[in-house]
Amino acid sequence: MTNDAQNRTQWLGRWGFVLAATGSAVGLGNVWKFPYMTGEYGGGAFVLVYLACILAIGVPVMMTEIALGRRGRGSPIDAIRRVTSESGGTSLWSLLGWMAMLCGFMILCFYVVVAGWSFSYLWKMLTGGLAGSSVDDMAAIFGANNESPFNLGFWSTLVTVATMVIVGKGVQGGIEKSVSWMMPGMVVMLVIMIAYGALSGGFGEALHFLFAFNAGSLSSEGMLAAMGHAFFTLSLASGAILTYGSYLPRNASIGRTTLTVAVADTLVALMAGLAIFPVIFANGMEPGSGPGLIFMSLPLAFQAMPLGTLFGILFFVMLSMAALTSSISMVEATVSWLTDNKGISRRTASWGTGILLWVISTLAMLSFNVGAEWTLAGKHFFGWLDYLTSRWMMPLGGLGMVLLAGFVLKSESLREELGLSPVVHGLWLFMVRYVSPLGILVIFVDALGIAKLQFGSHWPWLLLALVVITLVGELASPRLKRAFGA
Ligand code: PFF
């Protein structure tokens, strides 16, 4: 790695970035978090808000982040500072970079614990440690796995070390290779499990649960969770995508790569839902069982299906790999900032970050055993890390980035960076200036209880608000005229 923004390391070709960004996006968020949150927040309505957020907020924010990264050629902090100063904006905007970097690190502190679950289940699969015939048996195995801090700590430490070894090896060497076989493998495994679910009962109920829209089950908390999850699953506002974007070659299309990543990520999440919920319903399990959901349900399916042990092993190999390709992306921002600014090697930066990560993730791991009672407002440390990052930091960071791109940065530089056709550029600008910010603000206002929304009856007002702020925004900002190519 060099410190020179111009000579920054680049991905080996267009696919290098697509693979790495997909590897970052597809992970435990899709297979572990999406199903359990869908279960907790009541199914179809949560899924619908999540999909709407991916489209109206996630895609525009991802394009913005990649553009910021590539233009600024640096860690989130440096890239945002450079790009903003190019447009004459205040350097305070680089605070967004600081928040993103912190957010990625905080996520990683609980992510390695969940990745540790996946690795420990792979081990159990290999050694026959998942024998049981009921949901209760599986719940007992999950509970026992968490009980010993030494057992759980061993697995999360393993993930921490693996992450840091890969990151220490550098961008091309470490990251690109694993994604190219892990992703197709994951999809094949999910197809097999969906086929099993379709044949073994519970599938109809699962389809209904995931896709039947029931406005009544749409709580404010659920909407905030769905929006936060859209950020989480696409790895947004946490430094990962922006830093990966900083290694993107000039000639790659940001629009096309974003769509590829977003579609792949969404498909994997929906497939995971279709694979898991039939098992849950066929076994009379409670969909809202929380973070242990997939670990308590899937092993039951592997027990029952032909070649189940083999499939189970393959599944947990894929899940563990998917977790690693995401975890490495979360430290990339910090490591890139340290190497660019502190004159230390990539290896030293990785190990330094790794030691801090190990200490904090160990505290998060203790939330499942000795620290279960250490709670604040009913949440333990692991819960707080998840709650603060997904519900607040990522949406706030995303809001900052779209406002920066929409109103502060020079239209010409973004137009040049994104390289979209005039119509698509206009649409992107409309999204980042009005649709995404309004969406984020409305969900915040609702979640904070400032005003309670009933989408069924309030949507005409929301549409009106969009029209009004668009008109006001356009009048107030003559820059947009130029952006539309007038
Ligand atoms: N997108 C990852 C997943 O769905 O598992 C999680 C994630 C990765 C979040 C990287 C944030 C991040 F920066």
Side-chain angles (χ1 to χ4, degrees), residues 144-361:
N145 195 44
N146 285 341
E147 226 160 65
S148 152
F150 294 105
N151 174 57
L152 209 55
F154 168 78
W155 294 107
S156 54
T157 303
L158 187 77
V159 177
T160 304
V161 172
T163 303
M164 292 310 167
V165 167
I166 304 174
V167 173
K169 279 173 65 187
V171 175
Q172 283 91 351
I175 300 167
E176 285 173 38
K177 284 181 203 138
S178 53
V179 188
S180 54
W181 59 268
M182 183 279 295
M183 275 297 301
M186 188 81 205
V187 169
V188 171
M189 284 313 303
L190 287 172
V191 168
I192 292 172
M193 289 161 63
I194 293 172
Y196 170 78
L199 295 175
S200 64
F203 197 68
E205 212 175 328
L207 272 182
H208 183 81
F209 183 73
L210 283 169
F211 299 115
F213 177 71
N214 168 10
S217 61
L218 200 64
S219 65
S220 305
E221 179 59 20
M223 282 202 304
L224 183 64
M227 172 170 73
H229 188 63
F231 277 94
F232 184 88
T233 193
L234 292 178
S235 309
L236 299 175
S238 13
I241 292 295
L242 197 153
T243 313
Y244 277 9
S246 75
Y247 308 124
L248 186 66
R250 287 252 139 246
N251 55 3
S253 148
I254 292 181
R256 235 175 296 136
T257 43
T258 298
L259 279 186
T260 313
V261 176
V263 168
D265 185 77
T266 308
L267 282 181
V268 173
L270 295 178
M271 286 175 78
L274 285 175
I276 287 155
F277 281 104
V279 183
I280 288 167
F281 291 120
N283 289 285
M285 195 175 164
E286 173 53 46
S289 306
L293 190 71
I294 68 160
F295 297 100
M296 297 192 246
S297 58
L298 290 182
L300 278 180
F302 294 129
Q303 294 271 314
M305 65 167 77
L307 297 179
T309 307
L310 176 68
F311 288 144
I313 291 170
L314 289 176
F315 176 83
F316 283 112
V317 168
M318 298 301 164
L319 186 61
S320 305
M321 289 308 299
L324 276 181
T325 55
S326 299
S327 66
I328 55 183
S329 73
M330 290 174 216
V331 256
E332 191 55 36
T334 308
V335 168
S336 142
W337 182 78
L338 285 171
T339 52
D340 288 351
N341 293 282
K342 300 288 164 207
I344 54 177
S345 73
R346 204 175 162 80
R347 181 183 290 237
T348 314
S350 306
W351 288 108
T353 313
I355 291 169
L356 189 62
L357 167 65
W358 184 78
V359 173
I360 303 178
S361 65

Side-chain angles (χ1 to χ4, degrees), residues 95-112:
L95 285 176
L96 276 178
W98 282 103
M99 183 159 83
M101 201 165 89
L102 178 67
C103 187
F105 185 79
M106 285 169 69
I107 294 174
L108 189 55
C109 292
F110 73 88
Y111 204 84
V112 295

